[in-house]
């Protein structure tokens, strides 16, 4: 008889090891509001993965920054964390 856990099923194999999707390196970037913007509950953090950033490699860093809503410096830091030495465009 299998032991049933009290916790809901999680994305893992039978050994309890997380799936490869969970182990993919990510960078969490929390956008800051600008001084001239009103007070809001705060924006959701942006989760960047190497695959997501690679999909933007054909665009300039400024264009990607504008589309994702985070500053270029944050994208560069995330790139370094994910093993991307330099923005290729």
């Amino acid at each position: 008889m299998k032991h049933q856990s009290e916790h809901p099923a999680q994305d893992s194999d039978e050994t309890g090891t997380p799936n490869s999707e969970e182990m993919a390196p990510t960078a969490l970037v929390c956008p800051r509001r600008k001084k001239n913007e009103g007070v809001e509950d705060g924006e959701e953090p942006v989760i960047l993965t190497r695959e997501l950033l690679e999909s933007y490699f054909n665009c300039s860093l400024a264009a990607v920054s504008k589309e994702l809503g985070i500053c270029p410096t944050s994208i560069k830091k995330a790139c370094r964390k994910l093993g991307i030495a330099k923005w290729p465009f």
Side-chain angles (χ1 to χ4, degrees):
M1 179 191 239
K2 286 188 175 180
H3 173 29
Q4 292 182 339
S5 175
E6 294 177 23
H7 303 289
Q10 296 178 353
D11 293 334
S12 61
D13 60 17
E14 292 179 3
T15 63
T17 307
N19 290 335
S20 61
E21 291 178 358
E22 289 183 38
M23 298 180 73
T26 60
L28 185 66
V29 179
C30 297
R32 295 185 183 175
R33 73 178 205 285
K34 296 178 182 172
K35 288 184 179 182
N36 59 355
E37 292 181 359
V39 177
E40 298 177 10
D41 284 16
E43 296 183 34
E44 292 292 318
V46 178
I47 299 172
L48 301 175
T49 61
R50 185 178 181 97
E51 292 78 23
L52 175 70
L53 292 173
E54 286 175 352
S55 70
Y56 286 106
F57 278 179
N58 61 334
C59 303
S60 70
L61 184 58
V64 175
S65 171
K66 191 172 190 175
E67 185 168 328
L68 296 177
I70 53 179
C71 70
T73 302
S74 295
I75 295 174
K76 288 190 258 183
K77 286 182 181 181
C79 284
R80 286 192 293 270
K81 182 178 178 183
L82 297 171
I84 302 167
K86 185 178 177 187
W87 191 257
F89 185 83

